[in-house]
Amino acid sequence: MAEYVKSSEFWGFIKDPLYGYIRLKESEKNILDTTAVQRLRRIKQLSGAEYVYPAANHTRFEHSLGASHLAGMLAACLPTELRTEAVTKLKMAALLHDVGHAPFSHLLEPTMKQVLGKTHEDLGSWIITKSALADALRREGIDPNEIGKLAIGRLTGNEKPFMNQIIRSSVDVDKMDFVLRDSYHTGAGYGTVDVFRLIYTMDVLDGDLAVNSTAIPTLETFLLARLESFRTIYFHRASRAAQIMVQEALELAEPELKLLSFKTPEEYLALDDYSVWSRLKTCRKSKPIIEDVENRRLIKCSYEKTFFVKDELLSSVFTNEAVRKQMEQEIAHKAKIDPDQVWIDVPSLPSVPYHYAMEVEPMDIPVFHETSDGKKVRVNVTELSQIIGVMRVFMNIMRVYTTLKHREAVMKASEEILGKPTISSQVSY
Amino acid sequence: MAEYVKSSEFWGFIKDPLYGYIRLKESEKNILDTTAVQRLRRIKQLSGAEYVYPAANHTRFEHSLGASHLAGMLAACLPTELRTEAVTKLKMAALLHDVGHAPFSHLLEPTMKQVLGKTHEDLGSWIITKSALADALRREGIDPNEIGKLAIGRLTGNEKPFMNQIIRSSVDVDKMDFVLRDSYHTGAGYGTVDVFRLIYTMDVLDGDLAVNSTAIPTLETFLLARLESFRTIYFHRASRAAQIMVQEALELAEPELKLLSFKTPEEYLALDDYSVWSRLKTCRKSKPIIEDVENRRLIKCSYEKTFFVKDELLSSVFTNEAVRKQMEQEIAHKAKIDPDQVWIDVPSLPSVPYHYAMEVEPMDIPVFHETSDGKKVRVNVTELSQIIGVMRVFMNIMRVYTTLKHREAVMKASEEILGKPTISSQVSY
Amino acid sequence: MAEYVKSSEFWGFIKDPLYGYIRLKESEKNILDTTAVQRLRRIKQLSGAEYVYPAANHTRFEHSLGASHLAGMLAACLPTELRTEAVTKLKMAALLHDVGHAPFSHLLEPTMKQVLGKTHEDLGSWIITKSALADALRREGIDPNEIGKLAIGRLTGNEKPFMNQIIRSSVDVDKMDFVLRDSYHTGAGYGTVDVFRLIYTMDVLDGDLAVNSTAIPTLETFLLARLESFRTIYFHRASRAAQIMVQEALELAEPELKLLSFKTPEEYLALDDYSVWSRLKTCRKSKPIIEDVENRRLIKCSYEKTFFVKDELLSSVFTNEAVRKQMEQEIAHKAKIDPDQVWIDVPSLPSVPYHYAMEVEPMDIPVFHETSDGKKVRVNVTELSQIIGVMRVFMNIMRVYTTLKHREAVMKASEEILGKPTISSQVSY
Amino acid sequence: MAEYVKSSEFWGFIKDPLYGYIRLKESEKNILDTTAVQRLRRIKQLSGAEYVYPAANHTRFEHSLGASHLAGMLAACLPTELRTEAVTKLKMAALLHDVGHAPFSHLLEPTMKQVLGKTHEDLGSWIITKSALADALRREGIDPNEIGKLAIGRLTGNEKPFMNQIIRSSVDVDKMDFVLRDSYHTGAGYGTVDVFRLIYTMDVLDGDLAVNSTAIPTLETFLLARLESFRTIYFHRASRAAQIMVQEALELAEPELKLLSFKTPEEYLALDDYSVWSRLKTCRKSKPIIEDVENRRLIKCSYEKTFFVKDELLSSVFTNEAVRKQMEQEIAHKAKIDPDQVWIDVPSLPSVPYHYAMEVEPMDIPVFHETSDGKKVRVNVTELSQIIGVMRVFMNIMRVYTTLKHREAVMKASEEILGKPTISSQVSY
């Protein structure tokens, strides 16, 4: 901390419940105060999870600030020569990595993909390079194009891979922050991980960000915390029920509200949780859904099955929307209800928060061992940890949702078509 | 916990970051799922504070749930005979004590008082007795009229005063919860108080809720935590800047938007942070203010003075709006700017969160001493604690705000009119 | 808590940093104040770990109190009919489960086994049934013989297995408390587990204590926390160095000091960390070792190898002392040093704290699934959790220690005899 | 942290439950591993408090390490030019500030004063300058004489007062650490203070360490935490009972055991909690007292009176041992018991932990206000905080203890002589 406080560039502190004092330079404060970043105050980190964990109302704003803080810390600790500009870039990229998020975080993602063929990352780069934020960055001597790429871990050229990996890998500052922060604000209790041990011992190996083998216990704890958070928060049954409903409301409303017909970054930035929620209540098709959510009349999970083995049919359900639709119709038919009343949910859907965090290989960055004479040797992480090996193959869960009154019928129809369900986690609220 | 889990009325747990597991009965869950209570999810506990403490996005919903939990705990611990119905009433009253809150919590309060002559407590009673919530309560065998009064600590008749005091006094479950919760979500760090020591040792004395003298250190710590939270969170300079701006936007927009022209409880309940924020952006007068807030272009505190002595003129500033307006004009005149660019801010304004919590006497419930032979004797708290005595007279602060460009001029004008300023707390962000 | 405070048997609270207020009945307070229990104040929970984690100075006393608290909580939550006496027994058994521990917890265990053929559990039963503690128990209407058996999880007769399993199984109150407590006082950070979720959802199934399948994420987290604590605290390299040294001092001193020649429980209870440490400094053979420890001149780990596969030779090293001694001599011979300067360390040694906790099957109590119609069905835990499956086979580590000056020689000799070492965790202090 | 990890002098981390990772340089590690510092592992921070708070078993060792860590942090943050040597000195001085402590911390202090005319600070300087520690310091290029003075805040010569004040003042690193640490390990819950806010905002003003007026809320919270810790931990009635007994055992045993007849620092360093406790059990006079303590048969507080006013007689009781002895005899005479069975206890006794921390003026270092143009102006703290003003005059408590059986008699006799008692805090255990 010391060097910061005395620096002439020091602007001040922001207090964060996780890290205590986050110090900011004047230049960072200027970027923080742009429309694009301030808007993140009105986009919740975990849309839907608050219906299970009432205190889960934290936003992308404090998460982005936290990720930037960890990026600065990690950059400062890496025993490699990093020029001040590289540290600044990393902090900025982490601060801006979520700037393209749509309202309700992941829930507008499928519609966006369908209508625009874009992801929030595409929009993030667009905003960083084309909005007033680009000017603000230039005023601080920072190249928006470079940050636009680094913010999504896709910087190319002369830069070393570790720059991208700090922002986007299985042990990046984004995940470190959200595992801690989601646990803190939900109270779920799985994310009390000593990420500082990871940060203090990480290194750069042949250009890659690398984890020190002495931190394997922390790494295992971190990866398990991520997995349990996935099961108990992000993919919680009631949490997903709310998410599926809002996602459908957004999809149904699009033809009428044309939320995604924006032309400029400014028009896109005008969309936030507040404005879109209000508009969804004005649209005939989405209104009843939103009213159900507001009154916590959620759809119900009638069937759940966990798969540990590979199966071609199943794989297609997990990845192919047409197959999923087809199966929804079969179940509806057998249950003698409208197909609109059946939803199949799998963890790989883009509307599932952090689904990509589980999708990627659990460890895409190397682990190294430091020998007694100071050499750093790459080691295979599964050689060191069978636990990490097991966590790779996790999370093939399929669920079938329906409305309260069709619960029984859909349960039976699903069993006939999909086989005996696996036992599963309780709906806590 | 034991008795709860085994009970046939037990519905389930909700996880809270402060208290861990909050257990709910079926009947409590039914009230929780009403429109009136669920709406509190869209009303932030501390509107404005998030501009200083980015993580302060918690809502009235989790606070109400927490207050209800503490009410149940306190009711169960009081060494007095309380029938099950009394415990249920207390929990319901605590759950519903904030149900009348307007969007942005306290910020619509002044306009509401002016236009309707009502406070959020009046509206709370109205909603409890006249909306669908009343029916829901009746279905659970609970009298809405009684809860409507108890929820604001104004139950009359045969009931003992301690029932009201559990809900509304200087050491009530509302304050216990918000001191802890606001500290947790802001990270400000003043509210780590062992309220369970208070709860486990409280008693009823001649019908009054009473604090055991053995808990004096905890009581002092609690009252100081409340005071420091007031200074560093609720009345923080930048936090108040945002609040003053939103409050003004609401006031200016009212003639056009007619937010307060609701006729039924349902119409009132349709107002929440989301819907009102969106509408403020459609109104010519409020739009530029909201845009300034969204981009964190806040008005600035140019002058601050703390008073320890009584003074007639000053007292009138603190309590009389006309005097305050007059003084704003004088300062503006001397600074040669538009009077609309000057705001005098004092802690007793209804738009200040928890201002009433500081207004009331720091200790309006008795302290008792238990003698060696088990008798309980009332004692004067100031005899036991000089610290508590001192905290009574606190919080006579006057501030003058203006826009960034008039900062210097208003500073000088204020000094000429109001005298040398007191030194004061830094604007942290 | 409620029922406790109002009860006439209520004596008072003891404050614990983990659980807040632990309430005690008069009868529990009377047992707590016996010589046998008070002596645990002078026996550290983790002898040796303080040389790595300076704050790890907690004792068996607070751990026993904590385990008793959790036993009471679990007994109260189990949805089975438990008479008050059964709850009392469980709390007493948990309070007394460590009463037979020798000074330095596990470090005197090997000598005790060799000289007396007894374990700390045998001595525990002896103390519970034959010392003044037995009289104290009888005065409270409790049968010492029954508690003497239950305290080590070996109650027989009509009682159901779950009684023993609450005290001694893979998810017993002993382990729940030490995982949390060791993490708290060391600061190691692996033990922040929501054990209350386990407690609130546990049940009795056909007489067995059983874990609800909805708590699988917590169970996985708990088991991993236990494993990582083993690696980073109990079996930490420097921590073990101190333990090996003290264990050897005790062994060497026995012929001269005759610490284990006690005849009565009272004589045994006179042995504690304080008295034995002082006496070790008076014995010619143990004095230099203790001086080395006091000045933190610890022996060094020169070689470490982790095994994942079964191997007959290796198995014998892990379980057979003679084979281990033989191998120490071979290494010493090759390194051309005195065999007394070589120590082979494996996790299954009785001087390793909690070695038994890892030895037993990771899950010896069943997991059940509650069907939608309320039936409880036993399920195979490995069917639900591959992670738990993997954790079973862990912890086959072999280390070779020597003094600082022979480090290099022993490293080479070990490699020649035992093969290339596995990379391993850093000595943190 | 950054600069540390990359430094060539970096030795490694030690994990602390309060601050996470404490990094050490090679030179600091060398001083840490001396006999004088390692001995502090066997001297509890709060002798006696464990009889009330069972988990309070932390030692002077981790406290010293923590104080050193905070000293380094504060030195690094102060916006004044501090050469590296000055930072090193401050860290060393903080590490060694308790090195002269006798066994049982403050409990041997009165006997030491009587027999040797020395305090633990005198002995600290002696050890720093005359033991092997002096050589170790010299090997690291540090002047033992200078550290010997700085460690007790008595450095003279050219150095600025703030160097001493960092080590010894009302807001020094010693107090910051113990307020946090004692709260953590006892669980008492009064010490959750954001000391980092103090550290990050402190400055040097005309050579004095100074507190920024923006940190007044934190300062008030810190001072109240210190006060409440005094009342509920250090001067807790049962905690003091144990302390008085051990202190008396030490006093009575001295003529026989001659613990204080040491000639060399090495002989003094051989005294620690372990060795002295064992020897007290061998001495005829102290043995029964220690046995009573070991079995928690504590003396009882029969009378307590708090004074808020100045009174000559009372003042003499608080400061003059002869007067106290005389009064003990009067009470014993009236109660018709042996004067040896009566103990008058006041907070100013040297055996009271941290009594000096309350004795000194609550604020002996200045507070400053930074004006808008960057000037730092000294301000009177009582002008800013009436709460701090009140806390000055606190803690005039007089208690009379006796054995259980004489409780009633001494209560009456005390009331007759000293007047009606004040009500007071409960003995929690």
Side-chain angles (χ1 to χ4, degrees), chain A residues 303-350:
Chain A
Y303 177 89
E304 175 172 314
K305 192 169 179 114
T306 307
F307 302 94
F308 286 117
V309 288
K310 292 270 176 209
D311 176 296
E312 212 161 301
L313 169 70
L314 287 170
S315 293
S316 65
V317 176
F318 284 100
T319 55
N320 188 324
E321 203 191 335
V323 175
R324 224 157 36 234
K325 286 279 162 212
Q326 170 67 26
M327 199 168 275
E328 285 173 2
Q329 282 175 7
E330 278 180 47
I331 293 169
H333 180 76
K334 203 173 271 293
K336 293 178 181 147
I337 61 170
D338 187 332
D340 288 359
Q341 302 291 295
V342 176
W343 295 266
I344 289 182
D345 197 35
V346 293
S348 52
L349 287 173

Side-chain angles (χ1 to χ4, degrees), chain C residues 282-296:
Chain C
T282 67
C283 160
R284 196 183 45 84
K285 284 192 171 167
S286 54
K287 194 184 176 200
I289 302 177
I290 297 304
E291 280 178 355
D292 279 347
V293 174
E294 284 201 348
N295 289 283
R296 213 181 179 285

Side-chain angles (χ1 to χ4, degrees), chain B residues 220 224 228 387, chain D residues 169-172 175 179 190 193 195 198 211 215-231 357-358 360-365 367 381 385 387-392 394:
Chain B
E220 290 174 348
L224 186 64
E228 305 297 13
I387 291 164
Chain D
S169 67
S170 54
V171 197
D172 61 33
K175 292 179 189 62
V179 164
Y190 295 100
V193 179
V195 298
L198 290 171
V211 167
I216 286 282
T218 311
L219 182 63
E220 290 175 347
T221 304
F222 176 73
L223 294 176
L224 185 65
R226 194 149 69 79
L227 181 67
E228 305 299 12
S229 294
F230 197 93
R231 294 162 81 177
M358 303 309 297
V360 295
E361 290 295 286
M363 273 306 289
D364 58 354
I365 63 170
V367 172
V381 67
S385 168
I387 291 165
I388 293 176
V390 166
M391 284 194 272
R392 282 191 188 212
F394 208 77

